[in-house]
Amino acid sequence: MRRVATGLLVLMAIIFVIARSFEERVSGLDFVTAFAEAAMVGALADWFAVTALFRHPLGIPIPHTAIIPTNKDRIADSMARFLRSNFLTPAVVARRMRAMNVARAAGDYLTAPPPEAGPGVRAGATELLAQALESLDPQRLGDHVRHGLAAQLERLEVSPLLGQMLSAAIADKRHLPLLESIVRWAGRTLEANESLVRTMIHDRANALLRFTGLDERLANSVLDGLYRLLAEMLVDPDHPLRTKVEEGLEKLAHDLVHDPETRARVEGMKQEMIGNPAVAGWWQGVWERLRGSLIEAARNPDSQLGGQFAGALQELGDALRSDVRLQSQVNRFARRSAVGITGRYGDQIVRLVSETVKRWDATTITQRVEGAVGRDLQFIRINGTLVGGLVGLTIHAVDVWVL
């Protein structure tokens, strides 16, 4: 557009020279000369005006030229004040947000993404989850979570809770499968270590017993007795030893709730566990495995997590589209959040605009502003050329025909 405007000025100069040369010999060329002469004046005047906005014309430091580079700091402050006063005010933001249905728009986007988004909306959401998990410092985040759990455990007295859980389990007979599992485990352990028991009895028997072979009979008797005891405990719900175990569990449940000494011991064990470095290391390993599993599942389109996440987004979109009450709540939250952000951070936002413009050098701000509006500015030069020519033609016509 700059070349077009300049070319038009050159064209007017050529027309002026030709018309001026032949106007005495050709009737009516004086009107062409007047048009071309005035058009050149208009073109040069508007070229000067447009150029003076961004730089010194012909490099001459004429006062009040290079207006934008010279006054960029003042322009930046004016832009910031304009934005703050006319856009970033709670009233303007609230009025604008009140006319918008943010929840419905979000629901439409989640339910039926635009064609240009393709299937990437849900994939992008899962990728965002994966990137968020990757960007978090695993050591620091693990420590934060561990400290948070530790703080909650320190405020929680676990002894009464354990006692109540144990009492409820005993009352509902839910402890019996555990007790029977312990008895079976004891039987399997005894069977697996039978040779060790025999060796212990043999080593502790005196020489006479070993000489007579009574140590082997003694070992058989001990093992048979233990097997019989475990079997009876397993099949007889009223076995005395089993009853003793249940009485001990009931007493433990009672002491966990009512006995200060027992509660203090449990509390001490809890504190030792919380402060144990081995527990911290164990938790760090658990968290790292959990984080790695979540990242892998989020990036695997065939994983259950990916499908669940996509389904959750679909359900959320449907709810936002159809539930009027949910829309009202979401829109109210969005409006209050936007108004609150504007009220609290509006000055910082416009200060960002002002400071960014101030950091630009003269060349940068000239290029950006001229690149944004330069095409229209060149039309000013073109219009100035044509309007100037028409004005000159009109003046010459008045001079010839009226005066």
Side-chain angles (χ1 to χ4, degrees), residues 14 21 28 32 35 46-47 62 96 114 140 154 164 168 191 206 210 240 249 258 291 333 338 349 360 384 389:
I14 294 173
S21 300
V32 177
F35 178 89
D46 284 340
W47 166 82
I62 303 172
R96 178 61 177 167
R140 182 177 299 177
E154 286 178 353
Q164 293 170 4
E191 184 178 2
N206 54 38
R210 288 197 296 270
L249 291 175
H258 302 288
R291 190 176 72 96
F333 172 76
I349 294 172
W360 292 345

Side-chain angles (χ1 to χ4, degrees), residues 40-249:
M40 287 191 295
V41 174
L44 289 171
D46 284 340
W47 166 82
F48 182 90
V50 170
T51 303
L53 288 172
F54 303 103
R55 57 187 63 85
H56 297 298
L58 302 176
I60 303 173
I62 303 172
H64 304 293
T65 59
I67 295 173
I68 291 177
T70 304
N71 299 278
K72 68 181 183 67
D73 291 348
R74 182 166 59 85
I75 293 172
D77 292 334
S78 298
M79 289 173 58
R81 287 194 300 270
F82 178 78
L83 288 173
R84 189 72 176 100
S85 302
N86 296 278
F87 294 95
L88 293 178
T89 61
V92 172
V93 173
R95 184 169 61 252
R96 178 61 177 167
M97 293 293 293
R98 196 174 293 114
M100 298 171 60
N101 192 339
V102 178
R104 178 61 185 265
D108 291 339
Y109 189 83
L110 292 175
T111 306
E116 60 270 16
V121 176
R122 298 182 180 91
T126 54
E127 177 63 21
L128 180 63
L129 173 63
Q131 290 182 1
L133 290 172
E134 282 184 335
S135 65
L136 298 173
D137 186 344
Q139 181 67 38
R140 182 177 299 177
L141 182 61
D143 289 341
H144 282 323
V145 176
R146 179 170 58 84
H147 290 321
L149 292 175
Q152 294 297 325
L153 284 175
E154 286 178 353
R155 288 194 292 267
L156 176 66
E157 190 176 2
V158 298
S159 180
L161 180 62
L162 293 175
Q164 293 170 4
M165 292 173 59
L166 183 57
S167 297
I170 294 173
D172 295 338
K173 303 297 183 182
R174 284 182 280 118
H175 69 297
L176 295 180
L178 178 62
L179 181 60
E180 293 174 356
S181 297
I182 293 175
V183 173
R184 290 192 179 92
W185 172 81
R188 290 193 297 270
T189 303
L190 181 62
E191 184 178 2
N193 295 276
E194 187 174 311
S195 59
L196 178 62
V197 174
R198 292 180 183 278
T199 302
M200 290 173 58
I201 295 174
H202 178 76
D203 293 340
R204 285 166 174 75
N206 54 38
L208 180 60
L209 291 176
R210 288 197 296 270
F211 177 75
T212 59
L214 292 176
D215 59 333
E216 187 65 26
R217 296 179 61 185
L218 179 61
N220 291 335
S221 298
V222 170
L223 289 170
D224 290 343
L226 291 174
Y227 283 131
R228 188 179 302 111
L229 175 64
L230 293 174
E232 291 174 354
M233 287 182 64
L234 193 61
V235 300
D236 184 7
D238 299 322
H239 192 276
L241 186 56
R242 187 164 175 165
T243 303
K244 287 291 185 182
V245 172
E246 293 189 1
E247 290 175 355
L249 291 175

